[in-house]
Short mmCIF file of all heavy atoms in Angstrom, two decimals:
data_model
loop_
_atom_site.label_atom_id
_atom_site.label_comp_id
_atom_site.label_asym_id
_atom_site.label_seq_id
_atom_site.Cartn_x
_atom_site.Cartn_y
_atom_site.Cartn_z
N ARG A 611 0.16 4.85 13.27
CA ARG A 611 -0.24 3.51 13.74
C ARG A 611 -1.64 3.16 13.25
O ARG A 611 -1.87 2.05 12.76
CB ARG A 611 -0.17 3.45 15.26
CG ARG A 611 -0.55 2.09 15.82
CD ARG A 611 -0.06 1.90 17.23
NE ARG A 611 1.39 2.03 17.31
CZ ARG A 611 2.12 1.58 18.33
NH1 ARG A 611 1.55 0.99 19.35
NH2 ARG A 611 3.43 1.74 18.34
N ASP A 612 -2.58 4.07 13.37
CA ASP A 612 -3.95 3.78 12.95
C ASP A 612 -4.02 3.51 11.45
O ASP A 612 -4.71 2.58 11.00
CB ASP A 612 -4.88 4.94 13.31
CG ASP A 612 -5.15 5.02 14.80
OD1 ASP A 612 -4.82 4.05 15.53
OD2 ASP A 612 -5.67 6.06 15.25
N GLU A 613 -3.31 4.32 10.67
CA GLU A 613 -3.29 4.11 9.22
C GLU A 613 -2.64 2.78 8.87
O GLU A 613 -3.10 2.06 7.97
CB GLU A 613 -2.54 5.25 8.54
CG GLU A 613 -3.26 6.59 8.56
CD GLU A 613 -2.39 7.72 8.03
OE1 GLU A 613 -1.20 7.78 8.38
OE2 GLU A 613 -2.90 8.53 7.25
N SER A 614 -1.59 2.43 9.58
CA SER A 614 -0.90 1.17 9.32
C SER A 614 -1.80 -0.01 9.61
O SER A 614 -1.87 -0.97 8.82
CB SER A 614 0.37 1.08 10.17
OG SER A 614 1.32 2.05 9.80
N VAL A 615 -2.50 0.03 10.74
CA VAL A 615 -3.39 -1.07 11.10
C VAL A 615 -4.50 -1.22 10.06
O VAL A 615 -4.84 -2.33 9.64
CB VAL A 615 -3.98 -0.85 12.51
CG1 VAL A 615 -5.11 -1.84 12.79
CG2 VAL A 615 -2.88 -1.00 13.56
N ALA A 616 -5.06 -0.10 9.61
CA ALA A 616 -6.11 -0.15 8.59
C ALA A 616 -5.57 -0.73 7.28
O ALA A 616 -6.23 -1.54 6.61
CB ALA A 616 -6.68 1.24 8.36
N LEU A 617 -4.35 -0.35 6.92
CA LEU A 617 -3.72 -0.83 5.69
C LEU A 617 -3.45 -2.33 5.77
O LEU A 617 -3.77 -3.09 4.84
CB LEU A 617 -2.42 -0.06 5.49
CG LEU A 617 -1.70 -0.15 4.15
CD1 LEU A 617 -2.57 0.38 3.02
CD2 LEU A 617 -0.39 0.64 4.22
N LEU A 618 -2.89 -2.76 6.88
CA LEU A 618 -2.57 -4.18 7.05
C LEU A 618 -3.83 -5.04 7.12
O LEU A 618 -3.87 -6.15 6.56
CB LEU A 618 -1.74 -4.37 8.32
CG LEU A 618 -0.33 -3.76 8.26
CD1 LEU A 618 0.28 -3.66 9.67
CD2 LEU A 618 0.59 -4.59 7.36
N THR A 619 -4.85 -4.53 7.79
CA THR A 619 -6.11 -5.26 7.89
C THR A 619 -6.72 -5.45 6.51
O THR A 619 -7.19 -6.55 6.16
CB THR A 619 -7.08 -4.53 8.82
OG1 THR A 619 -6.49 -4.42 10.12
CG2 THR A 619 -8.40 -5.28 8.93
N ARG A 620 -6.72 -4.40 5.71
CA ARG A 620 -7.27 -4.48 4.36
C ARG A 620 -6.46 -5.46 3.50
O ARG A 620 -7.03 -6.25 2.73
CB ARG A 620 -7.26 -3.10 3.70
CG ARG A 620 -7.63 -3.10 2.23
CD ARG A 620 -9.09 -3.43 2.00
NE ARG A 620 -9.39 -3.55 0.59
CZ ARG A 620 -9.72 -4.69 -0.03
NH1 ARG A 620 -9.82 -5.82 0.66
NH2 ARG A 620 -9.97 -4.70 -1.32
N ALA A 621 -5.13 -5.43 3.65
CA ALA A 621 -4.28 -6.34 2.87
C ALA A 621 -4.59 -7.79 3.21
O ALA A 621 -4.71 -8.65 2.31
CB ALA A 621 -2.81 -6.03 3.13
N LEU A 622 -4.74 -8.10 4.49
CA LEU A 622 -5.04 -9.46 4.89
C LEU A 622 -6.42 -9.90 4.39
O LEU A 622 -6.58 -11.02 3.89
CB LEU A 622 -4.97 -9.60 6.41
CG LEU A 622 -5.21 -11.00 6.97
CD1 LEU A 622 -4.20 -11.99 6.44
CD2 LEU A 622 -5.20 -10.96 8.50
N GLU A 623 -7.39 -9.01 4.51
CA GLU A 623 -8.74 -9.33 4.02
C GLU A 623 -8.72 -9.64 2.53
O GLU A 623 -9.52 -10.45 2.03
CB GLU A 623 -9.68 -8.15 4.29
CG GLU A 623 -10.01 -7.95 5.77
CD GLU A 623 -10.78 -6.66 6.01
OE1 GLU A 623 -10.83 -5.81 5.09
OE2 GLU A 623 -11.32 -6.50 7.12
N ALA A 624 -7.80 -9.00 1.80
CA ALA A 624 -7.72 -9.20 0.34
C ALA A 624 -6.90 -10.43 -0.04
O ALA A 624 -6.79 -10.73 -1.23
CB ALA A 624 -7.13 -7.96 -0.31
N GLY A 625 -6.33 -11.12 0.94
CA GLY A 625 -5.63 -12.37 0.64
C GLY A 625 -4.12 -12.34 0.74
O GLY A 625 -3.47 -13.35 0.48
N ILE A 626 -3.53 -11.20 1.11
CA ILE A 626 -2.08 -11.13 1.30
C ILE A 626 -1.77 -11.72 2.67
O ILE A 626 -2.21 -11.19 3.69
CB ILE A 626 -1.56 -9.69 1.19
CG1 ILE A 626 -1.77 -9.15 -0.22
CG2 ILE A 626 -0.09 -9.63 1.58
CD1 ILE A 626 -1.34 -7.71 -0.42
#
Side-chain angles (χ1 to χ4, degrees):
R611 181 161 301 198
D612 288 347
E613 290 173 317
S614 295
V615 169
L617 192 61
L618 292 165
T619 300
R620 172 70 186 112
L622 182 60
E623 289 172 346
I626 295 178

